[in-house]
Amino acid sequence: MPYEAVSLPGKPIAIQFGAGNIGRGFIGAVLSQAGFHVVFADVQEKIVNALNETGRYDVHILNGETQIETIESVSAVTSTDLKAIETIAREPLSIITTAVGPNILPRLAKPIAQIIRTRMEEGMGPINIVACENLQNATDKLREALESELNDKERVYMQDNIGFAICSVDRIVPPFSSDNILDVGVEPFFEWTVDSNSLKKTDPDVVINGMHTTNNLDAYVQRKLFTLNTGHAITAYLGFLDKKDTILDAISDDSIRTTVTQALHESGAALLAKHHPFFSQEQHEEYIKKILKRFSNHNLKDEVSRVGREPLRKLRQGDRLLGPVEMCRERNLGHDTLLLGIAAALLFHPTGVHEDQEANEMQDRIQQEGIEKVVSDLTGWEKDDEDLQKITREYSRLKSA
Ligand SMILES: NC(=O)C1=CN([C@@H]2O[C@H](COP(=O)(O)OP(=O)(O)OC[C@H]3O[C@@H](n4cnc5c(N)ncnc54)[C@H](O)[C@@H]3O)[C@@H](O)[C@H]2O)C=CC1
Ligand SMILES: O=P(O)(O)OC[C@H]1O[C@](O)(CO)[C@@H](O)[C@@H]1O
């Protein structure tokens, strides 16, 4: 179905790339509730058509009661349809957000470059781009991909007119089953924190309720990634080894809960050392408790296979597993439980419907090259590094358990 201009008098437009769980369940919903008409750009035709046919969907807040928020004033385009993308670029656009996954993000360079090009040709003013992905500096990575799509003149326009704001995005939105393919199920908690220093003033200029801005973004990003995501990943990997299906099953196991709590205290000590006085020991203790409570939400069916997905990405330097370990190493702080979490990640290998391409690739590499070489490549450490040896010992122990 061809895209038609939205042209809603007085209504600013937001484009949300990715109409998946976070796109519909969090960022798109916040933007719609803040007064935007939200155009989702996705590659799934079924979702694009359904959004255009109904122009609304329901967000089910999974808190044990029936609480539904209806999200209205939404439509959609196919993200590869550059003609449609060009049409939206001419509208009163003020923000572009993404939630497609870190590995897909560079593919958005083409459609977003089209938007920038069109706006330059039309002499249009500033807009902001915020990549909402579980990846440190995701927005910067998108900007780098855009730079290679644009010519010199377009790059200058981009520098002057496009705000690239890094953010931290926190809401657990697992897949949800419902008669309506557009409906999503979300946990009640949400926190979207955006770097205020990078945002440009747009016309129309909109205050976005639900989007918190700060000039200390680094601390927010690392606190979230190295606590929520670190704890979630270790729960998933230990749960997988213990044949648990869901995060709830895994975190309800005393032994797994104790290990995850210990890992979060190791990571927490490094976060406090780095970011004090941004948050205090007491505040961080509360933050950890709250996260463990969120993992224990009986109304979420969040499978360990989803939370553990793409283990090689999660094992990259600076991500949720090696990131806190590096912070501990730099400060001489204990991190043995985090190393155990890494060993568990290296054994992640779901099969059947949950089969994971990266997990398969990781297992093939371990089989062909040996565990020491793989850990050395992932971490950048020498084979005789004490921590590398600890990981391989834990790996062998868990493997034979
Ligand atoms: N689900 C969650 O609870 C959270 C996810 N995140 C992050 O949000 C991002 C998205 O995750 P989910 O929403 O869970 O994934 P998802 O798989 O539910 O959604 C991704 C969407 O992107 C679409 N997509 C794929 N290629 C595309 C392209 N070329 N152009 C436009 N759309 C495309 C897919 O069709 C899908 O609808 C990831 O970076 C994830 O780490 C962050 C916080 C929470
Ligand atoms: O989306 P990723 O990076 O694969 O990791 C799954 C993670 O994303 C989340 O869905 C939300 O932060 C967490 O539930 C989980 O830690």
Side-chain angles (χ1 to χ4, degrees):
M1 159 182 330
Y3 180 77
E4 285 170 27
V6 181
S7 307
L8 299 166
K11 208 151 171 105
I13 308 267
I15 303 183
Q16 160 62 38
F17 281 87
N21 295 317
I22 276 293
R24 276 177 289 134
F26 186 9
I27 306 302
V30 163
L31 292 170
S32 162
Q33 288 170 337
F36 287 91
H37 174 86
V38 181
V39 182
F40 288 95
D42 203 290
V43 285
Q44 290 189 57
E45 223 172 285
K46 258 167 67 179
I47 298 273
V48 169
N49 289 341
L51 282 163
N52 285 332
E53 274 154 27
T54 58
R56 58 194 284 164
Y57 61 88
D58 286 340
V59 175
H60 299 246
I61 315 290
L62 302 173
N63 59 1
E65 291 161 20
T66 311
Q67 192 187 337
I68 294 177
E69 289 176 4
T70 298
I71 306 303
E72 292 177 302
S73 194
V74 295
S75 56
V77 289
T78 305
S79 64
T80 49
D81 178 353
L82 297 186
K83 267 254 132 330
I85 295 282
E86 194 182 322
T87 310
I88 309 167
R90 294 176 207 280
E91 299 206 51
L93 181 61
S94 110
I95 186 164
I96 297 175
T97 48
T98 81
V100 290
N103 295 341
I104 306 274
L105 193 61
R107 290 192 216 160
L108 301 186
K110 259 202 180 5
I112 297 179
Q114 183 63 44
I115 295 174
I116 294 172
R117 202 170 287 126
T118 307
R119 291 183 68 84
M120 181 189 78
E121 284 160 6
E122 298 291 322
M124 298 173 95
I127 56 168
N128 290 305
I129 299 182
V130 188
C132 306
E133 316 283 350
N134 273 340
L135 173 73
Q136 283 202 76
N137 301 334
T139 311
D140 286 343
K141 299 210 159 100
L142 179 58
R143 178 180 21 206
E144 282 160 26
L146 275 166
E147 270 165 8
S148 45
E149 280 293 324
L150 300 170
N151 64 29
D152 285 350
K153 190 173 161 208
E154 291 162 349
R155 274 196 287 272
V156 171
Y157 172 84
M158 178 167 92
Q159 196 170 335
D160 294 344
N161 290 282
I162 312 292
F164 285 90
I166 294 172
C167 82
S168 164
V169 52
D170 192 4
R171 180 174 230 182
I172 299 175
V173 190
F176 181 68
S177 55
S178 153
D179 292 342
N180 183 345
I181 61 161
L182 294 180
D183 287 2
V184 271
V186 304
E187 67 165 334
F189 177 89
F190 65 88
E191 190 174 82
W192 182 25
T193 311
V194 178
D195 177 24
S196 56
N197 295 327
S198 314
L199 289 171
K200 294 221 184 274
K201 194 168 163 49
T202 60
D203 179 21
D205 199 21
V206 189
V207 176
I208 304 176
N209 288 326
M211 182 184 97
H212 167 230
T213 57
T214 176
N215 58 11
N216 193 4
L217 211 253
D218 213 29
Y220 276 95
V221 169
Q222 293 197 344
R223 181 176 66 161
K224 185 258 172 177
L225 191 63
F226 298 163
T227 314
L228 181 287
N229 294 112
T230 301
H232 227 179
I234 296 177
T235 306
Y237 295 131
L238 292 174
F240 171 78
L241 291 178
D242 210 25
K243 302 197 166 29
K244 311 284 195 223
D245 288 332
T246 66
I247 292 297
L248 175 62
D249 294 343
I251 205 68
S252 304
D253 179 298
D254 283 344
S255 154
I256 295 179
R257 193 183 178 88
T258 303
T259 305
V260 171
T261 308
Q262 175 68 26
L264 291 188
H265 281 107
E266 290 175 1
S267 146
L271 284 165
L272 278 165
K274 179 162 181 190
H275 294 295
H276 190 81
F278 169 68
F279 48 91
S280 67
Q281 176 125 25
E282 295 72 41
Q283 282 169 327
H284 197 59
E285 194 57 48
E286 276 311 304
Y287 187 72
I288 291 174
K289 274 195 194 138
K290 194 167 176 179
I291 281 171
L292 292 170
K293 203 165 163 209
R294 290 168 61 199
F295 293 173
S296 309
N297 184 339
H298 280 73
N299 307 294
L300 293 185
K301 188 174 183 308
D302 204 0
E303 294 182 335
V304 297
S305 55
R306 180 195 84 84
V307 176
R309 66 186 171 189
E310 299 175 358
L312 288 173
R313 169 169 62 84
K314 293 184 165 91
L315 281 162
R316 276 185 206 148
Q317 291 170 36
D319 211 298
R320 65 210 73 187
L321 296 166
L322 282 168
V325 166
E326 283 301 352
M327 279 175 57
C328 290
R329 278 166 68 101
E330 281 160 18
R331 292 167 179 78
N332 252 329
L333 294 164
H335 51 277
D336 283 358
T337 324
L338 291 164
L339 297 177
L340 167 69
I342 291 172
L346 289 157
L347 284 158
F348 184 64
H349 194 199
T351 51
V353 286
H354 297 304
E355 192 167 318
D356 185 293
Q357 213 181 317
E358 278 196 12
N360 291 345
E361 190 194 323
M362 180 172 74
Q363 298 311 329
D364 287 349
R365 276 176 61 184
I366 294 173
Q367 203 168 24
Q368 284 159 21
E369 300 167 19
I371 186 69
E372 277 194 352
K373 165 95 171 64
V374 172
V375 176
S376 177
D377 287 349
L378 289 169
T379 57
W381 303 334
E382 298 297 331
K383 284 195 183 160
D384 60 359
D385 185 283
E386 203 183 318
D387 285 345
L388 184 145
Q389 291 301 325
K390 280 184 185 164
I391 292 175
T392 57
R393 272 202 302 277
E394 286 295 357
Y395 172 88
S396 303
R397 185 180 65 79
L398 290 171
K399 194 174 175 186
S400 56

